[in-house]
Amino acid sequence: MRALLRNRCIAERKEVVADMKTLSLSPDDAQAAAHKGTNEAVSAPTHPSQDGASNVTGAKKEKSAKELLKPLDDPVNKAYNPTVVESAWYAWWEKEGFFIPEFGPDDHVKEKGYFVIPEPPPNVTGALHMGHALTSAIQDTLIRWNRMRGLTTLWLPGCDHAGIATQSVVENMLRRRENKSRHDLGRTQFNELVWKWKDEYHSKINNAHRRMGASFDWTREAFTMDPNLTVAVTETFVRLHDEGIIYRANRLVNWCTKLNTALSNLEVDNRDLEGRTLLDVPGYDRKVEFGVIVHFQYQIDGSDDKIEVATTRPETMLGDTGIAVHPKDERYKSLVGKKARHPFVDRLLPIVADDYVDLEFGTGAVKITPAHDPNDFTLGTRHKLEFVNILNDDGTLNANAGKYEGTKRFDARYTVVEDLKEKGLYVKKENNPMKVPLCSRSKDVIEPIIKPQWWMRMRELADVAIAAVKNGDIVMRPETTEKSYYRWLEDINDWCISRQLWWGHQAPVYLVRFDGEPAGADSEEQWVAGRTREEAESKARAKYKDRKFTLTRDEDVLDTWFSSALWPFSTLGWPNETGDYSKLYPTSVLETGWDILFFWIARMIMLGLKMTGAVPFREVYCHPLIRDSEGRKMSKSLGNVVDPKDVIDGIALADLHAKLLTGNLDPKEVGHATKYQKTAFPDGIPQCGADALRFSLVSYTSGGENINFDIKVIHGYRKFCNKIYQAAKYVLGKLGDDFVPYESATAAKPASLAERWILHKLSAAARDINQALTEREFQRSTSIVYQFWYNHLCDVYIENSKSIIQEGTQEQANSAKNTLYTALEGALAMIHPYMPFITEELWQRLPRRPGDRTPSITKAAYPQHDEAMDDPAAEAAYELVLDVSKGVRSLLAEYSILYVYTYDETSYHTAKDQLQSIRSLSGKGLGSIEVLTKDEEKPTGCVVFAVSSGAAVFLHVKGRVDIDTEIQKISNKLGKAHDGISRQQKLLNDPAYQAKVGRDVQDLERKRLKDLEAEAAAYQGTLEQFERLKVE
């Protein structure tokens, strides 16, 4: 069936393209105007200043959007189909320039202000995943909402070059496809290959964004290695280097032997082990042992005495240059000042006393490896020990390891232990809980190695960033985000910003080498930074006067997060004083996942304040992370990533399996990933569409940390889309082709209680949803609009309007139609930020109000609270009607002539006046119905449905039912009502509740108690009547 529909859609698409050619449109414009998969189209793209009215040279008359849209009774449009609805609107929006920010007549932002979000740039390492989809859905909801509110709005798109991630992926691809390394190609040719990869995947990422309906201003798209952004990186580095904030230092770094680069602490994942564990390590055929501590002895030089030490990394003993004991440890006092002899290399190890040593831990003696351990680095510096590096960059041992030179580090781990045993120095091995540092990208075990690197001094920058949040310049949501932010910045370390990669921003700094002199140590004094080579030469010449020298640019590149930290202002043109930078900075909101709070958000705040003197954004919102259905983090290395396009279009299980084989997934993980797919998607992924996907993701978003992905929830919202589609079809059918709406929603007074009620609900929903979005309560906002569409508009007012239009006077019918129009128009606009495609599709079919030339729902005004629609009296009266109808339906479902017995005059008049509405809302199968006053005798031989304290519904059942069965049923209901009364009484009588909860809420709970008491009384009365029937 799907194939047949697709073929028909393609055929009809060709018809539209041909039709557009007759209007002298280019093929591109024709394609933009035609729905992919349907013959529905919109007016040809125009310049945004033309307000949707375009002129086509050589055409007699351009067809309007209404003329190009096929009727809803066409077979293609009979049922909701996201392929049909979502296929071409985006191309039209983009062509029309609807996403480009609009400025006021003076070329400044509009009077209502501006709203700017810089997109967290996805890495150009592959396709988008559900995390990106969540980010897109939330941000586009905010962008479209603010655009409809009349603000100057910009959502700035872009991608990140992702130095380590991208280089790693391309290197893996090169090795698998051609069995080559980057060194076989050389730096220039390798980077050319990476640029080709970038162009391919950048295009795929942008297309995926378009499928999601993301309303980016593509004319301002940025990439972190664009020329203007590279200028910003260079400017920042040079300024900070000149100020001494960026400096050169030879110290321990986190070294990844797989990627051959240094990493910051944030790029290292610490895996906790409870004891002996065998782990896979890149480059090793067998698993490597961790989680044990090896005890061995050193021989005291010139003596038969020995001293026992312990280590979790036996191979590092080859770099030991000292042993430390506590100065108060009586066991070793006689050894302090002596030396131990290394058993495998020609080296003596001084024995020193230091308070750092824990008397109670292990043997009380600590081996010191200053060049390969952070704590030992401090001890070695304090006691002026020798720093011996035993590792090459690739993880093999160097000449300082003696006979082990050339051995891989973890092979040496086992060899060293065996050699210690041969020499009689081995003592024992024990389980040892520990943390193993892993590269977050390659999963290689990190090695601490001393290397000269570029560092950024962070303490001063962090203090300013903390103050910016504490004084309210930046608001952080949810509250946990702010607490984590403070905790990290208060304990911040200097940032290692250089990386030994080829892909990225090469550091704009040059090493000065003097002619005729041997190369000296790599010290800060020998480096000069420059925006250009000429500037660097000028600085060196001023510094070294007449000495002859040459400059060599540092081959290292900068950490990807360095350029990303400049994103909010570099994308707007900084360091140049551009129009965008002067008008739209600081940006409004930075919205992203909480997991990059430290990687990115904090660094943007620090560098934004430092480089521009202003905060980079006014607000931070950190959303939860999407995990798979088993609660695991979605990861390409696990093969559990879900492509948003697969959710939009649907995909068979076999095709999901096939996709695992096309990427860079480790072959060892394919089996596990396949098994997961079978469990999570036994029937594949059903077609859901972009609107359903977006709405479900926003509805998931609350203050929690994680979201477990559930395709059933998303597919459930596809059914909601169908509900919207069918409701709009009904309304459009009832309005007719000649319908002209009033000039405004409040131009005429509604004729019926139902109309007053739905307009009140519309205004209340508008008030509540604007408040929810303002407060970033995304889950609540979707609940509000869902409730209005489903429970108020579709299930109630549309149903009630049928009887008014069919059975009422012409005046009543016209009033009901105008209210239908107002409610549908408002509901479409209200849900548009969440569901852009279906709302545009249906909104374009609505007639416009007189004088309204709005070309697209993207430019329509967002619904606001309207006091003229407030009608609490109508709400209270109509709620009684709804409750009575509910009672009627409930009783009709079990039995079949009814009475509405009222307990007060207001309820009597409401029920009497709204009898037609009660009939309409009560469904088919209803015979006669009579409304009784409280003064009339209650009907006998009836069952009762307690509506509220104001009314009850009675149904005559004598002689039609099994009395004993009904007595049991009513007794059960009476018992539940009594339980509810007890709970309410306990709640209302609780002093703590009375102290904490507001008066309004308590009043609502008292009303609930009153209704429960009325319900119990009604059930008791019914029970007594059944007992009498039994006697009769």
Side-chain angles (χ1 to χ4, degrees):
M1 182 65 186
R2 185 181 294 180
L4 289 173
L5 176 60
R6 186 181 295 112
N7 291 337
R8 167 159 186 161
C9 291
I10 292 171
E12 293 193 339
R13 177 184 173 82
K14 291 179 180 177
E15 291 176 15
V16 174
V17 174
D19 190 19
M20 296 302 290
K21 286 180 179 177
T22 66
L23 302 177
S24 302
L25 290 178
S26 69
D28 286 345
D29 284 349
Q31 187 172 3
H35 275 280
K36 179 183 177 184
T38 179
N39 196 26
E40 296 182 358
V42 294
S43 59
T46 66
H47 191 278
S49 65
Q50 294 178 307
D51 198 26
S54 62
N55 297 311
V56 183
T57 305
K60 294 180 180 179
K61 181 182 178 183
E62 181 189 343
K63 290 185 177 181
S64 68
K66 308 295 183 189
E67 292 170 318
L68 288 172
L69 287 168
K70 287 188 74 68
L72 283 170
D73 58 5
D74 184 274
V76 173
N77 297 320
K78 185 175 181 180
Y80 169 69
N81 186 331
T83 303
V84 173
V85 171
E86 298 174 2
S87 55
W89 285 117
Y90 196 94
W92 180 67
W93 290 330
E94 193 175 344
K95 286 278 189 177
E96 289 283 354
F98 291 147
F99 305 152
I100 297 172
E102 292 183 351
F103 294 89
D106 57 356
D107 203 31
H108 287 85
V109 298
K110 292 182 179 179
E111 186 177 344
K112 291 185 177 180
Y114 69 83
F115 187 81
V116 177
I117 295 180
E119 178 202 15
N123 295 343
V124 286
T125 51
L128 295 185
H129 52 66
M130 291 305 296
H132 296 115
L134 174 62
T135 301
S136 178
I138 294 172
Q139 292 181 13
D140 201 25
T141 295
L142 290 174
I143 285 290
R144 288 178 181 270
W145 173 56
N146 280 285
R147 186 183 291 123
M148 296 173 77
R149 292 171 65 215
L151 282 72
T152 296
T153 306
L154 171 62
W155 190 16
L156 197 150
C159 278
D160 194 301
H161 68 279
I164 291 177
T166 303
Q167 178 164 317
S168 177
V169 168
V170 176
E171 281 194 83
N172 288 338
M173 177 192 70
L174 184 65
R175 182 171 58 256
R176 290 179 182 176
R177 292 182 183 178
E178 302 180 30
N179 196 28
K180 292 181 179 178
S181 73
R182 61 181 162 120
H183 300 284
D184 294 323
L185 273 62
R187 186 166 188 159
T188 300
Q189 190 177 348
F190 177 77
N191 277 339
E192 289 174 356
L193 180 64
V194 181
W195 274 106
K196 290 179 181 178
W197 171 277
K198 174 264 173 190
D199 291 340
E200 177 185 352
Y201 280 90
H202 195 162
S203 176
K204 290 180 179 179
I205 288 168
N206 288 355
N207 289 337
H209 276 312
R210 289 180 168 95
R211 291 295 309 278
M212 283 286 296
S215 59
F216 288 119
D217 176 9
W218 294 105
T219 67
R220 287 173 166 83
E221 184 186 4
F223 177 59
T224 47
M225 287 179 65
D226 283 344
N228 57 311
L229 273 73
T230 300
V231 167
V233 169
T234 300
E235 179 70 21
T236 301
F237 186 98
V238 173
R239 278 200 212 175
L240 297 182
H241 182 267
D242 288 350
E243 290 183 34
I245 293 175
I246 291 178
Y247 62 96
R248 188 79 166 173
N250 191 31
R251 60 174 63 162
L252 278 178
V253 297
N254 300 304
W255 187 259
C256 175
T257 64
K258 175 75 164 58
L259 300 178
N260 259 289
T261 184
L263 303 173
S264 73
N265 290 340
L266 290 176
E267 294 164 308
V268 177
D269 298 328
N270 287 301
R271 179 170 175 180
D272 289 305
L273 303 181
E274 294 182 359
R276 183 178 184 272
T277 307
L278 298 177
L279 299 179
D280 284 313
V281 179
Y284 292 82
D285 295 329
R286 65 174 181 173
K287 293 187 176 185
V288 180
E289 182 181 59
F290 294 88
V292 296
I293 188 165
V294 174
H295 291 248
F296 68 95
Q297 296 172 321
Y298 275 117
Q299 185 86 39
I300 303 301
D301 187 44
S303 166
D304 292 333
D305 294 335
K306 296 175 182 176
I307 186 169
E308 183 179 329
V309 295
T311 179
T312 58
R313 301 156 65 207
E315 68 280 5
T316 62
M317 64 88 66
L318 298 170
D320 286 357
T321 60
I323 299 171
V325 297
H326 196 280
K328 295 182 180 180
D329 195 329
E330 296 294 334
R331 294 171 294 177
Y332 303 117
K333 273 193 174 182
S334 62
L335 297 180
V336 173
K338 295 184 178 181
K339 296 181 180 179
R341 178 166 294 281
H342 201 287
F344 303 130
V345 292
D346 186 15
R347 190 184 308 144
L348 293 176
L349 283 55
I351 300 173
V352 299
D354 198 289
D355 291 336
Y356 164 78
V357 179
D358 185 349
L359 276 165
E360 306 299 326
F361 182 77
T363 65
V366 176
K367 61 185 281 297
I368 306 175
T369 320
H372 295 287
D373 183 273
N375 296 319
D376 291 3
F377 180 92
T378 303
L379 281 171
T381 302
R382 190 154 55 234
H383 295 283
K384 298 180 180 180
L385 300 178
E386 185 181 4
F387 284 66
V388 177
N389 175 27
I390 61 169
L391 286 173
N392 296 313
D393 288 351
D394 64 357
T396 58
L397 302 186
N398 61 27
N400 291 329
K403 67 176 184 178
Y404 302 94
E405 181 181 4
T407 306
K408 293 163 70 172
R409 55 183 168 151
F410 293 128
D411 288 341
R413 170 168 295 188
Y414 296 100
T415 306
V416 163
V417 170
E418 292 304 313
D419 289 349
L420 285 169
K421 289 178 180 178
E422 284 187 14
K423 289 184 174 289
L425 298 174
Y426 177 83
V427 178
K428 62 181 178 179
K429 178 172 70 175
E430 297 176 316
N431 272 355
N432 182 67
M434 64 179 293
K435 294 180 184 292
V436 177
L438 302 176
C439 171
S440 62
R441 291 293 176 186
S442 69
K443 305 308 174 187
D444 191 18
V445 177
I446 294 298
E447 290 292 344
I449 296 180
I450 292 180
K451 281 187 173 291
Q453 300 287 307
W454 294 107
W455 297 80
M456 184 182 294
R457 226 176 293 278
M458 304 302 291
R459 182 69 271 150
E460 179 184 336
L461 301 180
D463 289 341
V464 177
I466 289 171
V469 176
K470 285 191 173 181
N471 65 24
D473 291 340
I474 299 174
V475 175
M476 288 194 165
R477 307 172 197 255
E479 187 179 340
T480 53
T481 301
E482 185 174 330
K483 293 178 180 178
S484 298
Y485 173 81
Y486 291 144
R487 186 167 56 251
W488 184 69
L489 287 182
E490 286 165 358
D491 195 32
I492 198 169
N493 296 312
D494 285 359
W495 176 16
C496 176
I497 61 171
S498 48
R499 299 290 180 270
Q500 290 63 52
L501 303 171
W502 288 356
W503 172 247
H505 295 100
Q506 192 172 351
V509 64
Y510 301 80
L511 179 65
V512 180
R513 295 194 183 278
F514 299 106
D515 294 354
E517 297 183 19
D522 185 348
S523 66
E524 171 72 25
E525 288 299 312
Q526 289 182 268
W527 293 90
V528 289
R531 295 166 182 83
T532 62
R533 187 180 189 88
E534 291 72 24
E535 182 182 353
E537 287 180 352
S538 177
K539 287 182 176 179
R541 202 172 296 112
K543 186 175 184 178
Y544 295 110
K545 309 301 181 186
D546 298 329
R547 297 181 70 180
K548 292 184 178 181
F549 60 82
T550 58
L551 295 183
T552 303
R553 186 168 182 176
D554 192 350
E555 292 190 353
D556 287 356
V557 301
L558 300 176
D559 183 0
T560 297
W561 296 104
F562 185 87
S563 56
S564 299
L566 315 179
W567 185 253
F569 47 97
S570 64
T571 52
L572 294 175
W574 185 92
N576 299 314
E577 191 67 24
T578 63
D580 280 355
Y581 177 63
S582 62
K583 298 170 189 173
L584 303 177
Y585 186 82
T587 63
S588 307
V589 176
L590 191 285
E591 193 286 326
T592 188
W594 58 261
D595 58 326
I596 54 175
L597 175 62
F598 314 132
F599 280 105
W600 192 41
I601 298 172
R603 288 167 174 170
M604 280 190 289
I605 294 173
M606 287 186 280
L607 285 179
L609 286 164
K610 177 63 181 176
M611 303 312 296
T612 73
V615 294
F617 27 74
R618 302 291 188 192
E619 178 187 344
V620 172
Y621 182 87
C622 290
H623 64 242
L625 301 187
I626 292 192
R627 299 189 179 275
D628 68 16
S629 56
E630 297 177 357
R632 299 178 302 165
K633 182 177 180 180
M634 285 193 175
S635 168
K636 294 172 187 175
S637 63
L638 293 176
N640 63 345
V641 171
V642 177
D643 187 335
K645 290 193 291 184
D646 290 340
V647 178
I648 293 171
D649 297 329
I651 185 171
L653 181 61
D655 293 330
L656 278 174
H657 292 340
K659 289 182 74 170
L660 295 174
L661 305 176
T662 60
N664 283 314
L665 182 63
D666 190 324
K668 297 177 183 177
E669 292 294 336
V670 171
H672 299 297
T674 302
K675 184 178 179 181
Y676 166 73
Q677 288 180 342
K678 288 179 180 178
T679 302
F681 314 111
D683 301 314
I685 297 176
Q687 181 196 46
C688 297
D691 283 329
L693 173 59
R694 288 168 58 112
F695 191 85
S696 65
L697 291 174
V698 179
S699 72
Y700 268 133
T701 305
S702 62
E705 289 192 350
N706 298 307
I707 296 170
N708 284 7
F709 179 81
D710 188 346
I711 192 63
K712 294 177 183 176
V713 172
I714 300 172
H715 194 247
Y717 283 118
R718 185 197 189 282
K719 296 175 183 176
F720 178 45
C721 290
N722 183 62
K723 185 87 169 178
I724 293 171
Y725 190 80
Q726 298 303 333
K729 280 183 66 176
Y730 166 79
V731 173
L732 289 166
K734 287 299 178 185
L735 295 181
D737 296 336
D738 299 328
F739 175 79
V740 178
Y742 295 147
E743 290 185 2
S744 71
T746 56
K749 186 176 180 180
S752 68
L753 177 63
E755 293 170 64
R756 290 163 55 199
W757 175 81
I758 192 65
L759 294 178
H760 173 84
K761 288 295 186 183
L762 174 63
S763 179
R767 176 198 63 215
D768 294 343
I769 197 169
N770 279 292
Q771 180 183 5
L773 287 172
T774 299
E775 295 172 357
R776 309 303 184 236
E777 293 182 0
F778 295 104
Q779 191 175 68
R780 178 168 164 256
S781 74
T782 57
S783 177
I784 292 165
V785 72
Y786 181 90
Q787 291 289 334
F788 180 78
W789 263 102
Y790 215 104
N791 296 340
H792 300 151
L793 180 57
C794 294
D795 285 0
V796 176
Y797 180 68
I798 287 178
E799 289 301 317
N800 200 165
S801 70
K802 293 176 182 178
S803 63
I804 300 174
I805 293 172
Q806 292 169 5
E807 301 172 18
T809 65
Q810 187 62 46
E811 181 183 354
Q812 289 172 332
N814 288 340
S815 180
K817 287 181 181 180
N818 266 285
T819 301
L820 270 177
Y821 175 89
T822 297
L824 179 61
E825 178 192 46
L828 288 172
M830 195 182 299
I831 205 168
H832 170 74
Y834 310 88
M835 294 183 172
F837 293 107
I838 191 172
T839 50
E840 185 75 86
E841 174 81 14
L842 298 172
W843 186 91
Q844 287 289 351
R845 298 175 182 279
L846 280 176
R848 301 269 64 77
R849 295 185 186 275
D852 182 7
R853 290 175 52 81
T854 308
S856 164
I857 195 172
T858 63
K859 296 291 187 177
Y862 198 76
Q864 300 295 317
H865 176 245
D866 188 342
E867 289 186 1
M869 291 183 181
D870 283 350
D871 198 337
E875 180 182 34
Y878 200 68
E879 295 294 339
L880 176 72
V881 173
L882 293 176
D883 290 341
V884 168
S885 302
K886 179 182 177 183
V888 172
R889 290 195 305 272
S890 176
L891 292 178
L892 285 175
E894 294 187 65
Y895 315 107
S896 158
I897 182 109
L898 309 117
Y899 305 93
V900 177
Y901 190 85
T902 57
Y903 299 111
D904 57 62
E905 190 173 343
T906 301
S907 298
Y908 172 76
H909 288 297
T910 298
K912 192 76 173 177
D913 294 343
Q914 299 300 316
L915 209 51
Q916 185 185 54
S917 294
I918 291 172
R919 286 181 177 279
S920 176
L921 294 166
S922 297
K924 298 177 181 179
L926 177 62
S928 65
I929 183 168
E930 185 177 350
V931 180
L932 305 176
T933 69
K934 63 176 181 174
D935 298 324
E936 296 180 75
E937 187 178 346
K938 289 182 181 179
T940 60
C942 294
V943 290
V944 65
F945 180 93
V947 171
S948 67
S949 56
V953 178
F954 288 77
L955 178 67
H956 190 269
V957 297
K958 184 176 180 181
R960 303 161 114 188
V961 298
D962 184 308
I963 300 298
D964 289 331
T965 301
E966 296 307 315
I967 288 176
Q968 184 61 50
K969 287 165 61 176
I970 296 300
S971 296
N972 292 340
K973 292 179 179 179
L974 179 60
K976 290 180 179 178
H978 282 148
D979 290 342
I981 290 170
S982 297
R983 286 194 297 271
Q984 285 300 106
Q985 290 174 336
K986 183 178 180 181
L987 176 69
L988 290 167
N989 294 329
D990 183 356
Y993 172 81
Q994 294 171 358
K996 293 180 180 178
V997 178
R999 180 65 58 188
D1000 291 344
V1001 176
Q1002 291 189 45
D1003 288 343
L1004 287 173
E1005 295 298 341
R1006 288 192 188 93
K1007 183 181 183 301
R1008 178 174 168 80
L1009 174 60
K1010 190 175 179 181
D1011 289 343
L1012 282 168
E1013 289 172 341
E1015 182 179 330
Y1019 286 142
Q1020 184 63 46
T1022 302
L1023 193 59
E1024 292 171 359
Q1025 287 197 11
F1026 270 120
E1027 293 289 354
R1028 286 197 296 270
L1029 287 173
K1030 189 173 182 181
V1031 174
E1032 294 173 5

